[in-house]
Amino acid sequence: MKSKTLPKYIFVTGGVSSSLGKGIISASLAKLLQSRGLNVTIQKFDPYINIDPGTLNPYEHGECYVTEDGTETDLDLGHYERFLNIRTSESNNTTTGQIYQTVINKERKGDFLGKTVQVIPHITNEIKRRIKLIEKVKSYDVIITELGGTVGDIESYPFIEAVRQFRWEVGMGNSVVIHLTLLPYLTAAGELKTKPTQHSVKKLMESGINADIIVCRTEHSLNEELRKKIALFCNVEIESVIESIDASTIYEVPVLMQNEKLDDVVLKKLNLNNIQLSKLDNWNAFVKKIKNPSNEVSIGLIGKYVELQDSYKSILESFVHAGAANDVKVNVIPIHSEQINTKSVNEIFKNLNGILVAPGFGERGVEGKIESIRIAREKNIPFLGICLGMQMAVIEFSRNILGLNKANSTEMDINCEHPVISMMESQKNIKEKGGTMRLGSWRCAIENNSLAHKIYSTNEISERHRHRYELNFDFINQLSEKGMIFSGKNPDTGLVEIIELPDHPWFFGVQFHPEYQSTVEEPHPVFVSFVKAALNNKSN
Ligand code: GLN
């Protein structure tokens, strides 16, 4: 399907409150359009001034998601990849920081020829340029742009103004604005309230944008009368009032949006006619599996940001995919690593069928992680260590099997006696923090006759990274003499990517982040195998 008017543009804005799930709505709509044969991508514009979320504490902004090309991005890009089974890149995430940086660099070069550099037109022009930048990567039928933040925030204004201009420039019928809003339910009145939605739609209008479609997040179903009321006061047709009721899993949202005909309304407004009907058979089968598992397992997630769900988003979603592949529900039990010590560990681990030690930075809670790994190793509990989790497994083994009591990572103790984990040579002269870790996809050669080979069924893989420290080559011989094997290595540098303990039923440490590559269509083999091992552990 090709025509001169492509691509078409969809903008998703948010009103009333943050955390309504713009990312999920955008990804669900994209899924529906993709299933109708359209070539779709999504990008996220974030109004904060950080260049990227790489320097943000997970408590601030949830997980930092890493793309194949090594960009540290917003976690919504993870949803886009998981839903659409596509790969995103640097061009899918833009921040206010990047926009100002580009404009200021141009100003320093003298590109503005003596002009006063202003929010309008210079910042808005840069935003508009970036909306289209993604078309340089590939040609698309539809580009969805999700605007972070909430309408009315001061920092969102330049984006809203840029969208207003952009819509005018691409002409009527070539763009759609979807406003995601909240209908609060007042228990005392027994009613869903529309006033906050009316106000946020008006706020958008003040900036010259009429929302074309209102998606209403709600705990209760919308009746006809309420739909009419929202349509009347928000200036849209009644079919453009879409209910987005709370779902038991985010993966049900595309199905709910299909029931509400969101895709039909969008296509009509974009003048995209005769588009084939949606085929969501595989997706529906997946949702059915998640909702009716035959069995369940419990896996402890040991980390230091466990209070916040979003901190380990990709790991949690990988377990949903791997659970469906094994026909089990994976109960992920978040455990704060600071709570774990020699006394508490046995009680805490009593009902766990597997242990995952999470990625992380800094010293806080590492001793609890090491203790968790000791128990997993000694009690034959399936263990997956990701990045820092793998490094801690090397430290645990060095201390308790090699007898190197002072083994540590130089990240935790720069002068430690046995630095089994140390900073990579390539990192030693780097002073700046932002975007300077070993990032993105790197190749990894897999040893034959290893668990890694059994999991991946191939001799070379590519996985995504985000780290500064690595297993210290000086200790490889000692570690392997005592039975640790290094089943995955970077073929060019020899950096250790995977460790295993063959005497254990399932002990696997990875320097990379498999969670970034798991999608609904392609659950990650490491997680699939780990969940299977947890299931075996449960039945033993
Ligand atoms: N802090 C460790 C490093 O930089 C691990 C990083 C991670 O877990 N993502 O190497």
Side-chain angles (χ1 to χ4, degrees):
M1 206 216 63
K2 281 273 159 273
S3 95
K4 272 210 291 300
T5 55
L6 292 176
K8 303 275 185 175
Y9 302 91
I10 299 172
F11 297 96
V12 182
T13 60
V16 181
S17 159
S18 58
S19 306
L20 294 182
K22 275 194 300 268
I24 302 295
I25 291 292
S26 304
S28 300
L29 173 60
K31 183 77 223 168
L32 290 178
L33 298 178
Q34 185 193 53
S35 75
R36 300 186 69 157
L38 293 165
N39 197 354
V40 192
T41 193
I42 323 185
Q43 56 186 345
K44 172 98 192 262
F45 280 32
D46 278 308
Y48 52 71
I49 297 171
N50 303 61
I51 296 292
D52 61 46
T55 51
L56 286 171
N57 184 321
Y59 284 128
E60 291 275 320
H61 202 66
E63 168 190 273
C64 170
Y65 186 76
V66 179
T67 52
E68 257 178 3
D69 65 354
T71 313
E72 296 174 290
T73 71
D74 186 78
L75 58 80
D76 275 340
L77 272 75
H79 290 309
Y80 308 161
E81 292 204 4
R82 290 187 282 269
F83 274 56
L84 300 177
N85 205 32
I86 57 168
R87 296 294 182 233
T88 56
S89 70
E90 180 187 27
S91 340
N92 294 74
N93 196 193
T94 293
T95 67
T96 292
Q98 291 170 20
I99 288 164
Y100 272 81
Q101 193 177 51
T102 309
V103 172
I104 291 168
N105 287 345
K106 276 192 185 167
E107 187 275 335
R108 291 289 80 187
K109 277 196 350 220
D111 286 359
F112 295 114
L113 301 170
K115 288 265 181 233
T116 309
V117 181
Q118 294 179 293
V119 172
I120 298 172
H122 302 100
I123 295 298
T124 45
N125 282 352
E126 178 58 19
I127 296 174
K128 287 190 288 178
R129 188 183 72 85
R130 284 182 182 250
I131 295 173
K132 285 177 147 272
L133 204 58
I134 197 147
E135 292 166 40
K136 295 223 162 77
V137 180
K138 217 173 121 188
S139 70
Y140 294 103
D141 300 324
V142 179
I143 296 171
I144 301 181
T145 305
E146 179 195 342
L147 298 186
T150 308
V151 166
D153 297 346
I154 292 178
E155 54 191 18
S156 297
Y157 276 118
F159 290 94
I160 302 285
E161 168 58 15
V163 169
R164 187 195 66 74
Q165 294 179 17
F166 188 91
R167 297 192 76 191
W168 186 84
E169 286 167 8
V170 297
M172 292 299 142
N174 290 317
S175 76
V176 157
V177 169
I178 299 178
H179 190 59
L180 174 64
T181 166
L182 173 72
L183 296 187
Y185 181 78
L186 292 193
T187 316
E191 256 187 283
L192 282 168
K193 296 309 236 180
T194 66
K195 194 74 82 181
T197 295
Q198 295 180 39
H199 281 300
S200 87
V201 169
K202 284 210 176 99
K203 194 87 208 153
L204 202 51
M205 272 183 200
E206 277 171 25
S207 309
I209 294 184
N210 276 329
D212 299 296
I213 296 171
I214 315 286
V215 177
C216 307
R217 272 300 299 273
T218 172
E219 290 168 29
H220 299 271
S221 242
L222 308 188
N223 60 27
E224 205 53 22
E225 196 188 335
L226 210 68
R227 286 182 194 250
K228 267 193 196 148
K229 187 172 172 188
I230 297 168
L232 176 66
F233 289 108
C234 298
N235 245 357
V236 297
E237 296 114 335
I238 190 155
E239 62 176 19
S240 301
V241 177
I242 305 287
E243 166 191 294
S244 170
I245 199 155
D246 289 357
S248 58
T249 150
I250 54 169
Y251 297 103
E252 207 177 0
V253 179
V255 184
L256 296 176
M257 290 303 107
Q258 189 181 38
N259 295 345
E260 285 285 300
K261 301 195 168 35
L262 175 62
D263 50 335
D264 289 339
V265 177
V266 165
L267 292 176
K268 195 165 132 197
K269 290 195 181 296
L270 291 175
N271 297 323
L272 289 172
N273 306 314
N274 303 323
I275 305 290
Q276 71 189 51
L277 289 179
S278 179
K279 281 195 226 79
L280 277 187
D281 301 354
N282 291 345
W283 191 273
N284 282 324
F286 168 75
V287 173
K288 210 165 147 192
K289 270 204 170 150
I290 313 179
K291 293 179 99 176
N292 309 292
S294 324
N295 206 335
E296 58 183 322
V297 291
S298 295
I299 291 182
L301 169 64
I302 323 290
K304 70 171 177 178
Y305 309 112
V306 288
E307 304 87 344
L308 190 74
Q309 276 263 332
D310 277 357
S311 308
Y312 300 113
K313 196 85 214 162
S314 295
I315 291 179
L316 297 179
E317 298 310 328
S318 301
F319 277 126
V320 177
H321 310 156
N326 281 290
D327 200 13
V328 293
K329 176 172 180 359
V330 182
N331 299 313
V332 180
I333 318 289
I335 303 166
H336 202 296
S337 44
E338 280 182 318
Q339 288 170 355
I340 299 175
N341 52 48
T342 335
K343 285 202 193 95
S344 66
V345 68
N346 284 317
E347 182 60 25
I348 296 177
F349 282 16
K350 215 168 52 192
N351 297 317
L352 298 178
N353 312 116
I355 302 293
L356 186 150
V357 175
F361 295 84
E363 210 190 337
R364 189 164 68 95
V366 294
E367 292 304 322
K369 291 184 173 177
I370 294 170
E371 187 56 19
S372 306
I373 298 165
R374 182 179 71 82
I375 296 294
R377 182 177 55 75
E378 290 178 354
K379 303 219 158 149
N380 285 334
I381 307 171
F383 162 77
L384 174 59
I386 300 181
C387 207
L388 185 71
M390 172 267 203
Q391 298 175 353
M392 293 301 117
V394 175
I395 295 172
E396 190 281 321
F397 195 81
S398 307
R399 287 186 189 175
N400 298 323
I401 302 292
L402 268 54
L404 305 175
N405 296 339
K406 299 278 165 55
N408 212 333
S409 161
T410 53
E411 180 180 4
M412 317 308 159
D413 176 3
I414 184 103
N415 299 316
C416 72
E417 210 172 302
H418 305 294
V420 290
I421 305 293
S422 60
M423 189 178 267
M424 280 178 275
E425 276 310 311
S426 55
Q427 289 284 324
K428 287 190 175 152
N429 293 320
I430 297 174
K431 296 275 174 298
E432 285 198 6
K433 287 271 186 276
T436 56
M437 284 186 242
R438 179 173 180 247
L439 290 165
S441 286
W442 292 89
R443 292 188 303 145
C444 169
I446 304 281
E447 284 289 317
N448 280 329
N449 302 322
S450 61
L451 176 58
H453 198 272
K454 219 165 120 194
I455 291 174
Y456 284 101
S457 311
T458 176
N459 289 322
E460 191 175 301
I461 56 165
S462 164
E463 292 277 6
R464 299 185 204 173
H465 297 70
R466 184 173 188 246
H467 65 125
R468 288 200 166 85
Y469 297 82
E470 255 283 349
L471 199 152
N472 185 343
F473 291 142
D474 295 347
F475 292 87
I476 284 190
N477 285 344
Q478 286 183 67
L479 289 162
S480 59
E481 270 164 25
K482 293 284 180 187
M484 179 170 274
I485 69 160
F486 307 102
S487 55
K489 285 187 186 159
N490 178 285
D492 305 312
T493 56
L495 290 180
V496 173
E497 299 280 13
I498 307 177
I499 61 152
E500 298 176 17
L501 294 179
D503 290 343
H504 187 282
W506 206 97
F507 192 100
F508 206 66
V510 288
Q511 185 57 77
F512 49 77
H513 293 259
E515 71 275 20
Y516 293 144
Q517 296 210 101
S518 186
T519 71
V520 168
E521 264 170 63
E522 293 176 56
H524 198 288
V526 167
F527 281 88
V528 174
S529 174
F530 181 39
V531 170
K532 194 166 169 209
L535 199 57
N536 288 341
N537 173 275
K538 188 182 174 186
S539 51
N540 284 340

